[in-house]
Amino acid sequence: MSDHPQPHLEPTPPVRSGGGPGGSGAGDAGAGGALTPSLKTPESTPAPTSTPVPTLLEVLRALDAGPRGLTEAQAEERHGRFGENRVPDTRDPSWARLLARSARDPFTAVLLCLGLVSAAVHAWGTASVILLLVAVSCVLRASGEHRADRSTADLRRLVATTVTVQRRADEDSAPATREIPVEELVPGDVVRLGPGDLVPADVRLLRSTGLTVHQAALTGESAPVPKSAGESDPAGTDTAGTGVFQQPHLCFQGTSVASGSATAVVTATGADTRFAAAHRRTGKPPATSFERSVQGVSWILIRFALLTPPLVLMANAALRGRGLETLPFAVAVAVGLTPEMLPVLVTTCLARGAALLARTHDVIVRRLPALHDIGAMDVLCVDKTGTLTQDRPVVDRALNAEGQDDPEVLRWAAAAAWWSLQLADLPAPDALDEALLTPADEDALMAYDGVTALPFDPARRLATVVVRAPGRLGTHTLITKGAAEAVLERCSLTDEERARLRALAEAQAADGLRVLAVATAERPAGVRPHERGLTFRGLVTLRDELVPTAAEALAGLAERGVTVKVLTGDHPGTAVRTCRDLGIPVAGVLTADRLDTLTDPELTELASRTTVFARCTPEHKTRITRVLQTGGHTVGFLGDGVNDLPALRTADVGLAPRDAAGVTRDNADLVLAGKDLTAIGHAVAAGRHAGGNIASYLRITLSSNLGNVIAMLSAGLLLPFLPMLPAQVLVQNLCFDAAQLAFAYDRPAPSALRRPTVLEPRALLRFIVGFGALNAVADLATFGVLAFALRGPGDDEALFHSGWFTENLLTQAVVMVLLSLGARGTSGRRPGPVTWSAATLAATGLFLPMSALGEPLGLSPLPGVYYGLLAAVLTLYAAGLMTARARQERRSPAA
């Protein structure tokens, strides 16, 4: 942002309603003369208080400029005052700040506190392991954020590099045109624009000829928008609303000239342009589904971890007279409750999924947690233009005056497009003319000889060519194509015929098609062509060309329980037509003017059962995304333009195709490197795979750990000695944590991929409390076994430690196998990584006490009778686990 505010020439609050001439679905013809899906598009209801539109004279006075351009001295002074005309780059945070931000995560913070407490009580091994895990977690997170924070580097890709400017050497000199770097442009400069030029700043038109502008990057409209140097439209569209982009006399940085030429005065540059504001409005993205889940789980762990040491200390001090000497044990118990390997396991799960997607499906995961978010996604919001459609129209049908298919109508329209391109000296056909030429017979087009052409004019909404047919000396044929109303007005028709043909055009437009009318006339050679008394030939309808893989991709998402909603700046009829062509059931349609009348609670309720949101501005898309999240949905957003950026950053997971606008692609969480939209389905499957494994790890680890903590607290109160030495607790935790890494490589059942994987903290708490209590019962039953099997010897304490150490690892192995399989059992499923890891854990529990490593840890061999009794306890425990798991799955199939 420059230090000096620029002249406030146009109101800048967020816009309220979309649409307008030339947009897909507007009443006017686009470039090439197409009538988009409504012959009479109703204007959006103006705001109660509208901001007056300044006249050209007022604009020039405010800028202290004129149509002859600035002097070099004025330009130099303004360049020093307003700064360079470049979109400001945000400065990337330093590594130190990123690391500090990572350490503020609640889970990382609790691990850090436990590590510091362990170091304070001289438990150096525990402290080293915990602090190492904290460091790895912070570095991994900081690395990801460092990549994401470079999101504005490509903003300038959509901005011109040079511009033709009109300046004067001094006040008395005549104006001269020259090329200057776009960075040197200042408010008040007069610039010239031609076909293919990128608009270098926000400008107000002074003069224009046949000007149409692509502004999809700002509004999402698929068709070029007609622009003219006249004042605002008669309806007085409120420039405080979205209608500012539809003001015919205004053009904006980030758009490009489709056809025609213009001279314009610069009204805003650099950070004061609406292009820069579109990025600036996004701000800091809200917490995603994954972040909210981790926050919830972290606070559960924090409460348990902070509560455990004081309870252990107070209970031992009150009942056993043991004081601070139990502090290392209390810290070890708290550490035992905490899943220290969670950061490593989460990163491993997500990194493996991201690598697989990049290698096999050309999907680039720019933010690892987004892989979990897309697995939890149950609503996908998509922009239409550029994502579902290719921003390129194709011919649908050619109809004669009776509404019947007639290829002759398309031949006339193609001839008009071909000779308009040749005679008007256009650099390339516009999108609609190109669509007409694609299916045309080249020999039929070359049979005519072009005479003259009147290119498309947004004011007339027509394009006309005059051709000479072979063997027709002295006679020329006039071919006119354009908006249906404009063409019908110039045809020799009765009122009844004109009304019938207008109804035919309106019916096609209501079906989501763009409509182009074609008429001809015979004129004597040498007579000036006039567009009156024409013979109506028919209508050509055009539709947006679909992305080839879109239908298959959306059908696959529906099978996985993902609801698709279309958020577009286009006409509702166009969007509904696209949905129908893609096989998307349309449950409801909501337009921007209706949306603006709804409160957030009303919109939250309505959005969940609405499929198409039309005439949407960036603010509308963001609001819809936010209310869907408020309604409990995990929302993904797929977009490709700058206008999609706020919603893309608001969503839980943002997706963009490879050829999206640079700033949009760099803010996306996942980038589809190919044009195959079925890659979204593969990303959903990979996310659910990773999310399912993370959820399984948390459920199993926390329930087992909670059971051990309950048992240790109970044993500490019942026994005259500590139930397990701190070193034994930590070794046990290390063995269990190492075994849990197998969850990163597990293969979830196919049924787990058919529904979103949502990590709900409350559901997780219910799970770990229920199964933790069951685990504690098994541990307490082991106390009885130990009391019976180990009576008599004087080394009861060492044997008790060994017996409980073995039992803990065996029960954890049983939990890993049975809860990971759940009610599915082992039918048709070979042993996987979790099963083999559990077997290794069980073997460690059985053989470590009797090995040479057992003695340094205070463990000793156990009597044979103990193993028989332990087998009985484990059998009963396994039966209880399976019964509880089956009941739990019946109540909550998603668990």
Side-chain angles (χ1 to χ4, degrees):
M1 180 69 69
S2 59
D3 294 334
H4 300 274
Q6 297 188 14
H8 187 61
L9 302 174
E10 300 294 343
T12 57
V15 275
R16 287 290 181 189
S17 61
S24 186
D28 285 347
L35 176 70
T36 47
S38 173
L39 288 169
K40 294 182 179 179
T41 304
E43 294 291 336
S44 302
T45 304
T49 57
S50 62
T51 305
V53 179
T55 65
L56 176 58
L57 182 59
E58 290 171 336
V59 170
L60 293 175
R61 284 177 176 172
L63 290 167
D64 189 19
R68 300 173 68 228
L70 300 176
T71 65
E72 294 294 346
Q74 288 175 319
E76 184 177 355
E77 185 272 332
R78 296 187 186 197
H79 188 269
R81 178 153 46 108
F82 297 117
E84 291 190 337
N85 176 35
R86 64 169 71 241
V87 178
D89 293 331
T90 57
R91 182 176 298 177
D92 292 343
S94 64
W95 272 99
R97 178 173 296 183
L98 290 173
L99 289 171
R101 185 189 302 169
S102 301
R104 290 202 304 266
D105 173 76
F107 180 73
T108 302
V110 72
L111 279 179
L112 185 60
C113 291
L114 290 173
L116 295 176
V117 171
S118 299
V121 298
H122 305 292
W124 302 113
T126 305
S128 299
V129 171
I130 292 177
L131 294 177
L132 177 62
L133 293 174
V134 168
V136 170
S137 174
C138 290
V139 169
L140 290 173
R141 179 168 301 184
S143 298
E145 291 190 5
H146 178 66
R147 290 191 300 270
D149 284 338
R150 295 178 299 180
S151 60
T152 59
D154 287 334
L155 269 174
R156 288 188 296 274
R157 291 182 185 176
L158 294 181
V159 182
T161 56
T162 61
V163 59
T164 302
V165 66
Q166 179 176 296
R167 286 182 180 171
R168 296 170 292 154
D170 51 49
E171 291 287 351
D172 299 325
S173 300
T177 59
R178 62 187 179 92
E179 291 283 325
I180 65 170
V182 72
E183 290 83 1
E184 296 180 8
L185 207 61
V186 296
D189 263 328
V190 173
V191 298
R192 294 187 177 181
L193 303 172
D197 286 348
L198 294 172
V199 179
D202 289 357
V203 300
R204 206 288 188 193
L205 298 178
L206 300 175
R207 296 180 296 278
S208 65
T209 303
L211 184 67
T212 62
V213 175
H214 286 292
Q215 54 185 34
L218 292 174
T219 66
E221 294 169 293
S222 55
V225 178
K227 297 286 184 177
S228 62
E231 302 297 340
S232 60
D233 59 342
T237 304
D238 178 14
T239 58
T242 357
V244 68
F245 293 114
Q246 305 308 329
Q247 288 290 320
H249 57 287
L250 301 178
C251 296
F252 302 93
Q253 186 183 61
T255 64
S256 61
V257 177
S259 62
S261 60
T263 301
V265 59
V266 175
T267 60
T269 58
D272 294 302
T273 63
R274 290 180 180 269
F275 182 79
H279 181 258
R280 196 166 55 241
R281 281 196 300 268
T282 61
K284 181 181 178 181
T288 65
S289 172
F290 179 77
E291 291 166 342
R292 293 192 299 269
S293 298
V294 169
Q295 292 278 337
V297 173
S298 297
W299 282 112
I300 291 174
L301 297 178
I302 288 171
R303 293 186 183 99
F304 278 116
L306 294 180
L307 188 62
T308 299
L311 283 178
V312 174
L313 291 174
M314 289 188 296
N316 278 275
L319 299 179
R320 293 294 176 182
R322 296 190 292 259
L324 291 178
E325 64 270 18
T326 62
L327 181 58
F329 173 72
V331 173
V333 171
V335 172
L337 177 65
T338 307
E340 302 96 326
M341 299 301 291
L342 180 60
V344 177
L345 183 129
V346 168
T347 302
T348 303
C349 284
L350 299 179
R352 290 186 71 247
L356 180 66
L357 284 175
R359 186 170 62 251
T360 60
H361 301 297
D362 286 337
V363 176
I364 300 169
V365 181
R366 301 188 67 252
R367 184 179 62 86
L368 280 183
L371 192 60
H372 172 277
D373 293 332
I374 199 171
M377 178 180 71
D378 63 335
V379 172
L380 175 63
C381 298
V382 299
D383 180 39
K384 180 183 74 69
T385 306
T387 51
L388 300 181
T389 63
Q390 299 192 58
D391 199 13
R392 183 171 63 245
V394 293
V395 172
D396 184 67
R397 298 175 68 189
L399 307 173
N400 60 21
E402 304 303 321
Q404 299 173 342
D405 291 319
D406 187 350
E408 189 73 8
V409 177
L410 180 59
R411 183 177 67 82
W412 285 116
W418 171 258
W419 287 110
S420 179
L421 176 67
Q422 301 301 316
L423 298 174
D425 196 24
L426 299 176
D430 64 36
L432 297 180
D433 282 350
E434 189 173 12
L436 296 173
L437 293 173
T438 299
D441 182 353
E442 186 174 337
D443 293 335
L445 297 179
M446 299 304 295
Y448 297 98
D449 186 15
V451 177
T452 188
L454 298 174
F456 175 76
D457 183 353
R460 298 185 310 121
R461 299 183 295 164
L462 295 172
T464 298
V465 299
V466 178
V467 298
R468 183 187 304 111
R472 301 287 303 276
L473 295 177
T475 301
H476 290 167
T477 301
L478 181 148
I479 310 172
T480 297
K481 64 177 177 66
E485 281 189 337
V487 173
L488 288 173
E489 289 174 359
R490 291 164 170 79
C491 292
S492 298
L493 298 167
T494 65
D495 291 342
E496 291 78 8
E497 289 175 328
R498 188 172 286 107
R500 180 180 63 82
L501 293 173
R502 184 181 293 111
L504 176 62
E506 289 176 341
Q508 299 301 314
D511 199 30
L513 298 169
R514 302 180 190 178
V515 183
L516 186 69
V518 183
T520 64
E522 300 295 324
R523 298 283 188 262
V527 176
R528 182 177 179 180
H530 59 281
E531 299 159 333
R532 293 291 174 185
L534 306 179
T535 300
F536 182 78
R537 291 292 182 177
L539 303 172
V540 178
T541 62
L542 303 102
R543 56 178 172 80
D544 289 333
E545 186 170 8
L546 304 176
V547 173
T549 59
E552 179 186 354
L554 298 178
L557 290 173
E559 292 177 359
R560 290 183 167 94
V562 178
T563 302
V564 174
K565 298 184 182 295
V566 178
L567 281 59
T568 178
D570 271 354
H571 188 276
T574 305
V576 170
R577 173 68 186 228
T578 299
C579 290
R580 186 167 68 245
D581 292 343
L582 291 172
I584 304 174
V586 178
V589 179
L590 188 64
T591 55
D593 52 353
R594 166 72 173 135
L595 188 151
D596 286 333
T597 66
L598 299 173
T599 64
D600 281 353
E602 291 172 337
L603 183 58
T604 299
E605 192 275 332
L606 189 59
S608 62
R609 48 189 175 86
T610 300
T611 302
V612 173
F613 300 84
R615 297 297 199 196
C616 288
T617 68
E619 289 76 16
H620 290 132
K621 294 180 180 181
T622 304
R623 186 184 176 204
I624 294 165
T625 301
R626 187 178 296 115
V627 299
L628 286 169
Q629 291 172 322
T630 303
H633 297 285
T634 300
V635 182
F637 190 94
L638 172 64
D640 70 331
V642 176
N643 60 308
D644 298 319
L645 185 57
L648 184 137
R649 296 194 69 185
T650 300
D652 293 291
V653 56
L655 302 97
R658 173 186 55 191
D659 53 359
V663 64
T664 305
R665 183 177 60 249
D666 287 344
N667 274 273
D669 301 311
L670 278 77
V671 177
L672 311 181
K675 294 296 290 183
D676 185 2
L677 292 184
T678 56
I680 299 175
H682 296 302
V684 169
R688 292 181 181 179
H689 188 143
N693 287 343
I694 293 169
S696 294
Y697 165 79
L698 282 173
R699 285 195 294 263
I700 293 171
T701 300
L702 292 177
S703 61
S704 181
N705 288 356
L706 180 61
N708 289 340
V709 168
I710 294 173
M712 285 187 181
L713 291 175
S714 302
L717 301 178
L718 296 173
L719 299 173
F721 50 82
L722 292 178
M724 195 176 292
L725 298 177
Q728 295 166 353
V729 175
L730 297 176
V731 170
Q732 172 189 278
N733 292 339
L734 182 61
C735 293
F736 191 34
D737 288 338
Q740 300 295 342
L741 284 175
F743 282 104
Y745 304 90
D746 193 25
R747 302 186 303 274
S751 60
L753 305 180
R754 291 197 290 267
R755 57 179 181 265
T757 53
V758 180
L759 189 60
E760 173 56 47
R762 291 187 178 181
L764 177 64
L765 181 59
R766 290 193 298 268
F767 187 101
I768 64 177
V769 168
F771 284 89
L774 184 61
N775 182 276
V777 170
D779 285 346
L780 292 173
T782 306
F783 291 169
V785 170
L786 289 168
F788 176 80
L790 307 178
R791 284 184 300 176
D795 56 349
D796 283 357
E797 183 174 343
L799 288 175
F800 187 93
H801 292 162
S802 301
W804 202 10
F805 182 90
T806 297
E807 184 267 348
N808 273 338
L809 292 188
L810 290 176
T811 54
Q812 288 172 339
V814 170
V815 169
M816 285 179 62
V817 173
L818 296 185
L819 291 191
S820 65
L821 295 175
R824 303 190 306 268
T826 58
S827 176
R829 183 180 169 98
R830 294 182 298 173
V834 171
T835 303
W836 291 115
S837 182
T840 303
L841 183 65
T844 302
L846 290 171
F847 296 110
L848 185 59
M850 63 183 71
S851 70
L853 296 175
E855 185 175 353
L857 293 174
L859 303 174
S860 60
L862 293 159
V865 66
Y866 169 73
Y867 294 105
L869 295 172
L870 179 59
V873 172
L874 291 176
T875 300
L876 293 173
Y877 178 52
L881 273 178
M882 292 303 296
T883 302
R885 178 63 175 172
R887 290 183 58 188
Q888 196 270 344
E889 286 188 346
R890 284 195 297 269
R891 291 197 306 268
S892 179

